């Protein structure tokens, strides 16, 4: 072999070795699109080990697959359960206590649409404070200043709001609920539940998530008067071992784990496998459709074990009702509790959260978004905007999601204005002051201002503005004065997070003569931006009807924002506009006006 041939062969050997090492590395590395694990456990198994373990589990279990058609209602534990008791639903009378596992917060984003846990919380419309507690103590969501825009971690959660008739509630309840709808994108209304069993309605909603390409390994369902230990639930499911009972991957997919003593009480806690809900809905005609479908099926399958495709685990130890418990015994406080139900006092729930110290799970990875769209989520006393609340919020939120912005709705600052002896509209300045430190830029939009052209980005506007001034770095406030107005319109404006902006907002707050005078905060802003120290930092879009603040009669196709500011209620004009804008999107050749 010549020198060239030996050199080529040597390179071939090196490349071959490198290629083999690369294959081994990739084979043993988790797929970036696989479901996210919730811990960096030191005993993670590779793919071959998982396959072998599954084979061994199937070979070693005590189930007679041929005779029983794979329909098992038992969780397998070879040391404690004989073949004769294979079909009896398991009732835990004792527990093995595990040490807490520290969950590592990986920064890898979940883009697969598959979640380790789907958490569904049933709630009446009125439970505002309880939902707030659950957000904070389960998901570490204390407020909506930097709200998670996408659930891109290992948990997907929603509150399912029980059917309600708005006429049955006081104005204050409807107002607070409308604000919550705007501020938190985690409420789902299921009015269909009027016509059928509520649990069945929840199950059907869960199945519908597949249409949105959302899947899960296990679903945790409970009502808003309960607390759960997410870490412990995930640990048991990951280990395929709940207390003294081992189970297989196939059994895990059909798992029904909870406390099923009460068939009439609709309150519940249950952990369900990914295939369980389909089975429940297929077999619901076997029961009398009382409030608690799961408990009814539990007792039905106890009497008819050969029909059961599910694996029930009735847990009387780690799941218990608070109404029967004056104290938690010390062993529970060490971390064995999975769920406590029937906690009807917010103070008691807060006390239990503090005592048990369940780990909080972030539902999205921490990311700093540079731009936020901010709006009012406050409804005035006339409640005229109530019919349009959700669609207005979705209009802004969808736009923010499309371009990677945050969406922030604020009501608390507006609620405080009576105490400050100012008109409610001054809450806008308080809200901007509160939110501005968390972002580089804010786009303020009044509630009655809506996105008409979602293709226009805030960055493109900022780029446009750079050509309108000598040095755009010196500009911190951008606001328009419409062609026929004698002052600015503060219904839409951009403001940069700088020391200048913070001082500007403070000085706006000092304009006491406008606290109750017409045009209020808008007049205060107009006065200040004409003063030399503030004029130099303000880009006034003078006599501008189209850049980002367009009144309906001035609208031309392609305008960014339409600001509905009529003398009367803007709710109906806004809802009508959404219909027209959708028609225009589908037929760009049509004539459109407002």
């Amino acid at each position: 072999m010549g020198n060239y041939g030996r050199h080529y062969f040597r390179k071939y050997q090196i490349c071959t070795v490198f290629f083999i090492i690369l294959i081994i590395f990739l084979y043993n590395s988790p797929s970036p699109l696989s479901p996210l694990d919730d811990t960096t456990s030191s005993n993670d198994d590779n793919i071959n080990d998982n396959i072998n373990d599954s084979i061994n589990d199937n070979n070693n279990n005590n189930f007679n697959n041929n005779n029983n058609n794979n329909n098992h209602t038992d969780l397998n534990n070879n040391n404690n359960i004989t073949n004769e008791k294979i079909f009896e639903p398991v009732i835990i009378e004792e527990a093995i206590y595990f040490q807490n596992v520290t969950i590592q917060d990986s920064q890898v984003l979940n883009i697969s649409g598959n979640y380790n846990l789907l958490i569904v919380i049933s709630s009446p419309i009125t439970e505002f404070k309880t939902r707030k507690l659950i957000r904070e103590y389960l998901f570490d969501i204390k407020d909506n200043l930097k709200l998670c825009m996408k659930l891109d971690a290992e948990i997907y959660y929603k509150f399912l709001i029980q059917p309600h008739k708005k006429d049955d509630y006081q104005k204050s309840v409807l107002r607070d609920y409308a604000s919550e709808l705007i501020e938190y994108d985690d409420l789902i209304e299921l009015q269909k539940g009027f016509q059928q069993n509520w649990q069945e309605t929840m199950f059907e909603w869960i199945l519908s998530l597949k249409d949105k390409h959302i899947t899960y390994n296990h679903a945790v369902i409970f009502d808003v008067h309960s607390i759960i230990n997410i870490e412990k639930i995930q640990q048991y499911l990951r280990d395929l071992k709940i207390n003294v009972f081992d189970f297989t991957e196939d059994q895990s997919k059909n798992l029904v784990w909870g406390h099923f003593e009460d068939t009439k009480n609709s309150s519940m806690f249950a952990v369900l496998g990914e295939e369980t809900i389909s089975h429940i809905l297929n077999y619901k005609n076997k029961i009398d459709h009382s409030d608690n479908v799961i408990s009814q099926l539990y007792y039905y399958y106890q009497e008819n074990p050969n029909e059961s495709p599910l694996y029930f685990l009735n847990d009387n130890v780690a799941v218990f009702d608070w109404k029967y418990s004056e104290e938690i015994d010390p062993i529970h406080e060490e971390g064995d509790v999975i769920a406590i139900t029937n906690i009807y006092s917010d103070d008691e729930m807060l006390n239990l959260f503090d005592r048990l110290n369940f780990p909080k799970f972030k539902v999205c990875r921490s990311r700093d978004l540079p731009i936020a769209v901010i709006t009012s989520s406050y409804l005035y006393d006339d409640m005229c905007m109530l019919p349009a609340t959700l669609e207005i919020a979705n209009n802004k939120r969808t736009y923010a999601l499309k371009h990677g912005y945050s969406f922030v709705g604020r009501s608390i600052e507006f609620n405080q204005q009576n105490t400050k002896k100012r008109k409610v509209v001054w809450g806008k300045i308080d809200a901007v002051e509160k939110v501005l430190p968390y972002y580089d830029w804010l786009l303020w939009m009044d509630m009655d201002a809506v996105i008409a052209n979602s293709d226009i980005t805030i960055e493109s506007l900022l780029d446009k503005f750079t050509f309108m001034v000598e040095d755009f770095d010196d500009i911190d406030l951008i606001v328009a004065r419409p062609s026929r107005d004698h002052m600015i319109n503060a219904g839409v404006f951009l403001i940069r997070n700088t020391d200048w902006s913070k001082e500007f907002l403070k000085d706006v707050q000092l304009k006491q003569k406008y606290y109750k005078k017409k045009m209020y905060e808008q007049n205060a802003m107009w006065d200040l931006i004409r003063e030399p120290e503030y004029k130099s930092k303000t880009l006034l879009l003078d006599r501008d009807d189209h850049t980002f603040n367009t009144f309906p009669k001035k609208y031309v196709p392609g305008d960014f924002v339409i600001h509905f500011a009529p003398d009367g209620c803007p709710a109906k004009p806004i809802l009508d506009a959404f219909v027209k804008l959708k028609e225009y999107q589908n037929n760009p050749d049509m004539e459109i006006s407002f």
Side-chain angles (χ1 to χ4, degrees), residues 38-39 98-104 117 119 138 154-155 228-239 257 334-335 337-338 356-361:
D38 58 337
T39 182
F98 295 94
Q99 297 295 320
N100 285 334
V101 175
T102 301
I103 303 300
Q104 303 295 329
L117 287 184
I119 297 181
L138 289 189
E154 68 261 24
I155 291 174
I228 65 171
N229 188 337
I230 298 175
E231 179 188 72
K232 187 64 65 175
I233 291 170
Q234 292 209 117
Q235 178 187 334
Y236 284 167
L237 295 175
R238 183 176 58 251
D239 293 344
W257 170 26
E334 294 176 8
V337 173
I338 294 299
L356 293 169
N357 196 28
F358 292 160
K360 301 176 182 180
F361 276 71

Side-chain angles (χ1 to χ4, degrees), residues 242-288:
I242 297 176
N243 296 305
V244 297
F245 300 102
D246 299 314
F247 53 100
T248 67
E249 289 282 1
D250 286 340
Q251 292 170 322
S252 179
K253 293 177 181 179
N254 295 283
L255 179 66
V256 187
W257 170 26
H259 188 191
F260 315 121
E261 302 298 328
D262 193 343
T263 61
K264 301 299 182 183
N265 190 347
S266 60
S267 66
M268 60 177 165
F269 161 81
V271 180
L272 309 176
E274 62 183 282
E275 297 177 3
T276 298
I277 291 177
S278 296
H279 289 311
I280 289 176
L281 292 178
N282 288 337
Y283 281 79
K284 65 183 181 181
N285 59 338
K286 302 287 186 180
I287 60 175
D288 63 8

